Amino acid sequence: MSALPACPKCQSAYTYEDGAQLVCPECGHEWSVEAAAPAADEVRVIRDAVGNVLQDGDTVTVIKDLKIKGSSLVVKVGTKVKNIRLTDGDHDIDCKIDGIGAMGLKSEFVKKV
């Protein structure tokens, strides 16, 4: 069995090297050998709008009126959000806002209190 990593797209074990690239014969995905090496030491740092490092459990305030998609509700400037939870993905923060409920926020629209 080869020591090559599985395809990151379809998880196929039948990957092979083609020069400096790794190729998956099942889905056709190609990626570089450097990108295939897992970076276990890298820790994702999420920062707020002014550059402060955010952590789970922090309290933040919203710095811009945010319209909620699919609703007529708006999160107003200065709304305080307590006990945030950091996640991976497009919306970095999972939280619960009083009067609105659970939602995801982008870190670029909040400031640490």
Side-chain angles (χ1 to χ4, degrees), residues 28-57:
H29 181 66
E30 297 181 9
W31 67 101
S32 67
V33 177
E34 292 83 31
D41 296 338
E42 286 186 33
V43 176
R44 185 169 179 226
V45 177
I46 298 176
R47 298 183 181 271
D48 66 0
V50 293
N52 298 322
V53 177
L54 296 174
Q55 297 177 346
D56 286 341

Side-chain angles (χ1 to χ4, degrees), residues 68 71 73 75 79-82 85 93-105:
I68 298 175
S71 171
L73 298 173
V75 179
T79 302
K80 189 179 272 191
V81 181
K82 298 178 185 176
R85 192 172 53 249
I93 300 170
D94 277 344
C95 61
K96 190 180 264 186
I97 298 177
D98 293 336
I100 296 175
M103 66 181 309
L105 295 173

Side-chain angles (χ1 to χ4, degrees), residues 3-5 16-23 30-39:
L4 295 175
Y16 63 91
E17 286 184 272
D18 185 22
Q21 298 278 4
L22 293 175
V23 180
E30 297 181 9
W31 67 101
S32 67
V33 177
E34 292 83 31

Side-chain angles (χ1 to χ4, degrees), residues 11-27:
Q11 303 304 320
S12 171
Y14 301 112
T15 57
Y16 63 91
E17 286 184 272
D18 185 22
Q21 298 278 4
L22 293 175
V23 180
C24 175
E26 292 184 5
C27 69

Side-chain angles (χ1 to χ4, degrees), residues 4 18 27 34 61 64 66 71 90 101 104 106 109-110:
L4 295 175
D18 185 22
C27 69
E34 292 83 31
T61 58
K64 177 183 174 184
L66 301 173
S71 171
D90 188 29
K106 291 186 178 184
F109 299 122
V110 299

Side-chain angles (χ1 to χ4, degrees), residues 56-73:
D56 286 341
D58 282 345
T59 301
V60 296
T61 58
V62 177
I63 62 167
K64 177 183 174 184
D65 281 348
L66 301 173
K67 295 178 185 175
I68 298 175
K69 198 175 207 177
S71 171
S72 62
L73 298 173

